[in-house]
Structures are given as C-alpha cells and as structure tokens.
Amino acid sequence: MATIEECRAALEKLSDTMQHAEGDVRTAATMDRSVSCRITDLDTTFVGRMTGGRIVVHDTVQGPPPEKAQIRLTMKGDDLVALVDGELNFAKAWGSGRVKLEAGLRDLLQLRKLL
C-alpha cells in the first residue's frame, strides 16, 4: 500500500510532467480548476488547484474533501503511483472503476487530451 508521501510524490511527478507538455496536452494542462484527489485506502484527500500547467497541492485532509472541487479523482494510493509511473492505463482503470474521475462535461473533454 502506497504511503501519503508516495502519493504526494506521484502528484508532484504528474505536475512536473504536465508542465513540460506540448500541443493539445499543454492546452489541457493549462486549465485553471480546483482539484481534489481522494486516496480511499488511506482515507486522505489532497486538495489543490490545477493552474499554470501544474497541480499545486494546498492541503491534505483526512476523509473526503471539505468542498466539491471542479475536478475530482478517487482511487487507491497504489493506483495513483502506477498511473503516474505509466504502469496503469488510465482509460482501462477508469473503465473498470479502479479510478473515478468527476468533472463538468467541458472539463472532461479537455482532460481526455491530458490523460
């Protein structure tokens, strides 16, 4: 089971990758939206903002997020680490229910370029 520190490091790695993206992926990465990433097996949520081509984590809270973010991810810690490391395909994980992504329709259309 991934630790909180490993999950935070995975989000940092994802943020670094987003910052160096190009083309359509870069356009999706530069969205300005509130973000939450709930790690179910740790009962922890990372709360932050996707802005300027990065994910900035502002807080880590126990349990579900205190407010509904515009983009919400839910998964186990091991799945987050595997996704970021390229060991888990996002589309397959989302389709099988291992990863849950909730956002407005317009945001989902943009995010599919990124994910």
Side-chain angles (χ1 to χ4, degrees):
M1 182 168 78
T3 66
I4 291 175
E5 292 79 20
E6 290 169 325
C7 292
R8 182 180 288 278
L11 288 172
E12 282 293 321
K13 183 177 178 180
L14 175 60
S15 182
D16 290 343
T17 301
M18 287 171 50
Q19 192 171 32
H20 296 98
E22 297 178 359
D24 285 346
V25 175
R26 177 71 180 161
T27 301
T30 58
M31 294 170 44
D32 185 15
R33 300 287 186 272
S34 60
V35 177
S36 67
C37 182
R38 178 153 163 70
I39 308 300
T40 56
D41 55 338
L42 298 174
D43 194 28
T44 300
T45 303
F46 295 94
V47 180
R49 188 149 201 94
M50 183 171 23
T51 184
R54 295 193 57 84
I55 297 171
V56 179
V57 176
H58 296 296
D59 201 5
T60 305
V61 297
Q62 281 297 116
E67 296 178 13
K68 185 177 175 182
Q70 292 167 303
I71 298 172
R72 301 168 300 284
L73 286 162
T74 305
M75 67 193 81
K76 291 183 179 181
D78 288 341
D79 289 339
L80 172 61
V81 172
L83 279 169
V84 173
D85 287 344
E87 298 169 3
L88 180 63
N89 178 281
F90 180 82
K92 288 182 181 178
W94 188 30
S96 70
R98 287 176 67 178
V99 173
K100 187 175 178 182
L101 171 63
E102 299 173 278
L105 182 59
R106 198 173 288 172
D107 289 342
L108 286 172
L109 292 174
Q110 282 288 77
L111 286 171
R112 73 176 184 175
K113 298 172 190 171
L114 182 62
L115 303 170

